[in-house]
Amino acid sequence: MVTKKPMQRQGFKTGEFVVYPAHGVGQITGVEEQEVVGITLELFVINFEQDKLTLRVPLAKVKSVGMRKLAEDVTVEKALRTVTGRARVKRTMWSRRAQEYEAKINSGDLISIAEVVRDLFRSEEQPEQSYSERQLFEAAIDRMSREIGVVNKITLTEALQLIQKNLAKSPRRGAKPDEASDSAEAAA
């Protein structure tokens, strides 16, 4: 009933890392044929190692679900520049903003995810986040670090440190070293 064949379909090939919008970065482990209700379907088998999840996506649905190849290096650089920008928080109700953030995270677009990371990041000096803000921030930074890690061929921890380093560069995210020493001298 189930057969595995190493092959390439619709521009994707076995062993390749891809982004599935609802789950993030996964690896295509094979292409299977399964019979469902008398119809034979070809399915990509995608493994999400960290989530311990295996997903089967019909080849005919690849475009409609938004599955895509990993971001190019240029896109990764743009995403890292995005997190260094000034946070853009709309003055709408939190529930509406939370829905927008969730939609951006689940879009699978690296730049949109970087915008969520930028907008929800809080430095040590800033007020603490609510539980739901923290959950959305963690989901966004996790998706972003996984993709950057695979694209740059670095560990998840190194990708996270790279993002945090870029977040620290953004305006009003804490005093710069020379400003901190100036304010300490003024206080003395």
Side-chain angles (χ1 to χ4, degrees), residues 6-27:
M7 57 179 66
Q8 181 169 339
R9 289 279 200 282
Q10 294 189 0
F12 298 102
K13 58 182 178 269
T14 307
E16 178 179 30
F17 283 95
V18 294
V19 176
Y20 188 86
H23 298 290
V25 177
Q27 185 174 23

Side-chain angles (χ1 to χ4, degrees), residues 89-94 97:
V89 179
K90 295 178 185 167
R91 298 286 174 216
T92 58
M93 290 176 36
W94 167 246
R97 280 185 292 155

Side-chain angles (χ1 to χ4, degrees), residues 79-87 117-118 121-126 137 141 144 159-179:
L80 289 171
R81 278 195 312 276
T82 299
V83 298
T84 63
R86 186 176 303 277
V117 169
R118 175 197 64 205
F121 174 73
R122 296 284 185 271
S123 67
E124 300 296 320
E125 298 83 34
Q126 292 176 309
F137 175 75
I141 202 163
M144 187 176 174
L160 200 52
Q161 289 169 346
L162 180 63
I163 295 167
Q164 289 170 338
K165 185 177 90 176
N166 281 285
L167 280 168
K169 293 178 187 175
S170 63
R172 299 178 58 194
R173 295 282 164 91
K176 302 208 176 357
D178 55 313
E179 291 175 8

Side-chain angles (χ1 to χ4, degrees), residues 45-169:
V45 180
I46 305 170
N47 185 31
F48 298 89
E49 189 69 35
Q50 285 185 309
D51 297 333
K52 295 179 178 33
L53 171 74
T54 300
L55 191 65
R56 286 173 173 76
V57 181
L59 269 64
K61 295 283 186 184
V62 166
K63 292 265 188 277
S64 65
V65 297
M67 191 169 104
R68 66 173 174 82
K69 291 183 176 288
L70 290 174
E72 300 286 321
D73 292 335
V74 174
T75 307
V76 169
E77 290 303 316
K78 185 176 179 189
L80 289 171
R81 278 195 312 276
T82 299
V83 298
T84 63
R86 186 176 303 277
R88 292 183 181 94
V89 179
K90 295 178 185 167
R91 298 286 174 216
T92 58
M93 290 176 36
W94 167 246
S95 59
R96 173 100 34 173
R97 280 185 292 155
Q99 286 176 342
E100 289 174 11
Y101 290 144
E102 191 77 40
K104 283 183 173 187
I105 292 168
N106 288 329
S107 73
D109 177 50
L110 189 59
I111 304 301
S112 295
I113 294 169
E115 290 171 359
V116 174
V117 169
R118 175 197 64 205
D119 294 348
L120 292 178
F121 174 73
R122 296 284 185 271
S123 67
E124 300 296 320
E125 298 83 34
Q126 292 176 309
E128 199 168 307
Q129 292 174 306
S130 70
Y131 177 76
S132 55
E133 280 180 309
R134 208 167 38 253
Q135 292 297 104
L136 285 169
F137 175 75
E138 293 295 327
I141 202 163
D142 180 59
R143 291 268 175 92
M144 187 176 174
S145 60
R146 285 187 195 187
E147 186 162 0
I148 288 174
V150 173
V151 170
N152 290 349
K153 295 175 179 62
I154 56 177
T155 66
L156 191 59
T157 306
E158 291 169 332
L160 200 52
Q161 289 169 346
L162 180 63
I163 295 167
Q164 289 170 338
K165 185 177 90 176
N166 281 285
L167 280 168
K169 293 178 187 175

